[in-house]
Amino acid sequence: MADADKRDDGWTGSFKRPWVNPPMENSVGATRGAWKWAMVVIAAAVVVIIVVLALVASDVVPRIWGYALIPIALVTAFVARLLTVFKTGAEDKGD
């Protein structure tokens, strides 16, 4: 218990308003490396999937396009989760 009290995590924010923190010393992992570009591609794929499904629902595009997007949506969700897990692991290691 005494060791936990002596440990300094570098946080200098307010305990009354913990959501108002000073700027971080290091950049957040979301803005470093190729991870952000992979997430941009995934976000673009999600937007395309939503637009095509809206077009299918309004009978502008044949229904087969909606069925064709199911595996693409599943792979997109899996890749987003996988990238997040790997990025979290890398951030925990300090890479």
Side-chain angles (χ1 to χ4, degrees):
M1 196 52 105
D3 291 335
D5 294 335
K6 293 178 184 176
R7 187 176 57 212
D8 182 23
D9 61 358
W11 184 69
T12 60
S14 169
F15 285 108
K16 293 181 181 178
R17 296 184 303 164
W19 58 90
V20 182
N21 289 331
M24 295 177 62
E25 293 175 6
N26 300 323
S27 64
V28 180
T31 60
R32 289 193 314 238
W35 186 79
K36 66 179 174 182
W37 298 115
M39 292 309 272
V40 166
V41 170
I42 290 169
V46 169
V47 169
V48 168
I49 290 168
I50 291 171
V51 167
V52 171
L53 289 178
L55 291 174
V56 168
S58 63
D59 290 331
V60 175
V61 178
R63 182 170 239 160
I64 193 69
W65 282 92
Y67 293 124
L69 287 179
I70 291 172
I72 295 170
L74 290 173
V75 168
T76 302
F78 175 74
V79 169
R81 179 65 181 154
L82 192 64
L83 282 174
T84 303
V85 167
F86 284 141
K87 185 63 175 177
T88 303
E91 288 294 319
D92 286 344
K93 290 180 188 175
D95 294 340

